């Protein structure tokens, strides 16, 4: 069932996968206040939604995932430094323990690049484009600080210094994108990827996500120590006994998330 969070953002759960969609295609899904408010509400909804194991973030139409900030609105409000809660940034100003996927259906520029960057995985349509365009309009991109962890530093520098776009193929080559698919298959292919993740043991999935980000935060030795702490409750869980038992009994495991 699809639910309208604001006039321009919808939330829908399909077979355990939550789809959070910016529905403002006439403005290239730009980040107006209504869009930002809807993204915040949708993020909180997903975190609290026990029926949803994975979040997919996308944009309506086939032209733009999100073209970035609403420059007309910025001009009208004389926006200088965006406040910390300007829009949700997963892992920075809001914790999202479950996996997230960006389904990029067109341009992902500026704030749209931010939204794709902050997701754990990215599936891009063949015609998708990615750019941090702030240098072209005199704005800033402090949110791009993790970019040189996601892609090689010289690639990150080229993206940030030129403001020029990368096509989907190049974005995949440098590690920014996981899969490139035909535009008409984007939703189905993303749903299938999310479904494979959702089928796994939920405690293990959440711990795996936390573990993957340790190398961006810690030294190697610290990462090992913190990973042991993260995984200890998983080893002690009922699901950790259910997995081997299901294998022994030649049946599909029934995960309880505890």
């Amino acid at each position: 069932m699809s639910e309208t969070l604001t006039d321009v953002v919808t939330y829908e759960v399909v077979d355990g996968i939550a789809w959070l969609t910016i529905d403002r295609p006439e403005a290239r899904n730009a980040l107006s206040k209504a869009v930002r408010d809807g993204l915040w509400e949708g993020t909180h909804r997903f975190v609290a939604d026990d029926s949803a194991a994975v979040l997919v973030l996308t944009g309506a139409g086939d032209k733009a995932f999100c073209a970035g900030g609403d420059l007309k609105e910025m001009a009208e409000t004389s926006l200088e430094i965006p406040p910390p809660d300007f829009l949700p940034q997963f892992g920075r100003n809001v914790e999202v323990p479950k996996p997230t996927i960006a389904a990029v259906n067109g341009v992902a520029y500026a704030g749209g690049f931010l939204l794709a960057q902050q997701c754990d995985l990215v599936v891009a349509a063949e015609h998708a484009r990615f750019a941090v365009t702030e240098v072209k309009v005199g704005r800033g991109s402090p949110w791009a600080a993790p970019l040189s962890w996601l892609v090689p530093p010289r690639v990150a520098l080229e993206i940030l210094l030129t403001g020029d776009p990368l096509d989907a193929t190049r974005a995949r080559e440098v590690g920014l994108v996981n899969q490139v698919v035909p535009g008409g298959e984007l939703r189905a292919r993303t749903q299938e990827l999310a479904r494979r993740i959702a089928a796994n043991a939920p405690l293990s999935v959440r711990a795996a996500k936390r573990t993957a980000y340790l190398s961006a935060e810690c030294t190697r030795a610290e990462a090992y120590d913190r990973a042991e702490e993260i995984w200890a409750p998983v080893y002690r869980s009922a699901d950790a006994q259910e997995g081997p038992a299901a294998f022994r009994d030649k049946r599909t495991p029934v995960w309880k998330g505890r």
Side-chain angles (χ1 to χ4, degrees), residues 14-209:
V14 180
D15 296 331
I17 311 305
W19 285 77
L20 184 59
T21 303
I22 304 172
D23 191 4
R24 199 185 176 210
E26 74 285 353
R28 303 175 79 200
N29 295 321
L31 294 167
S32 65
K33 186 178 187 304
V35 169
R36 301 194 309 271
D37 289 347
L39 290 176
W40 270 113
E41 185 174 348
T43 299
H44 290 310
R45 180 74 55 86
F46 169 67
V47 170
D49 190 348
D50 292 336
S51 73
V54 179
L55 176 71
V56 177
L57 178 61
T58 194
D62 59 4
K63 303 297 184 185
F65 170 73
C66 173
D70 188 321
L71 296 181
K72 292 181 181 178
E73 185 179 271
M74 287 182 181
E76 291 170 359
T77 60
S78 300
L79 179 69
E80 293 183 349
I81 300 175
D85 61 351
F86 187 68
L87 80 167
Q89 297 184 47
F90 304 160
R92 185 184 184 190
N93 59 12
V94 58
E95 287 303 316
V96 183
K98 295 180 283 187
T100 60
I101 304 173
V104 180
N105 52 304
V107 299
Y109 289 175
F113 191 108
L114 179 161
L115 293 175
Q117 173 191 276
Q118 72 184 2
C119 289
D120 302 314
L121 303 175
V122 178
V123 181
E126 291 172 332
H127 65 282
R129 298 290 183 273
F130 300 82
V132 181
T133 56
E134 275 75 0
V135 291
K136 294 183 180 293
V137 292
R139 299 296 298 176
S141 53
W143 47 263
L147 186 57
S148 59
W149 177 79
L150 292 168
V151 302
R154 293 192 187 279
V155 174
L157 282 164
E158 182 178 354
I159 292 170
L160 294 172
L161 296 178
T162 66
D164 294 340
L166 281 70
D167 63 24
T169 299
R170 176 61 174 160
R172 186 178 185 278
E173 288 174 350
V174 300
L176 190 65
V177 165
N178 296 89
Q179 298 180 22
V180 177
V181 303
E185 299 178 15
L186 179 64
R187 185 177 178 98
R189 296 278 289 273
T190 305
Q191 178 77 10
E192 171 59 20
L193 174 61
R195 187 199 62 77
R196 297 204 311 271
I197 295 169
N200 292 327
L203 295 180
S204 294
V205 167
R206 296 186 189 193
K209 172 174 173 171

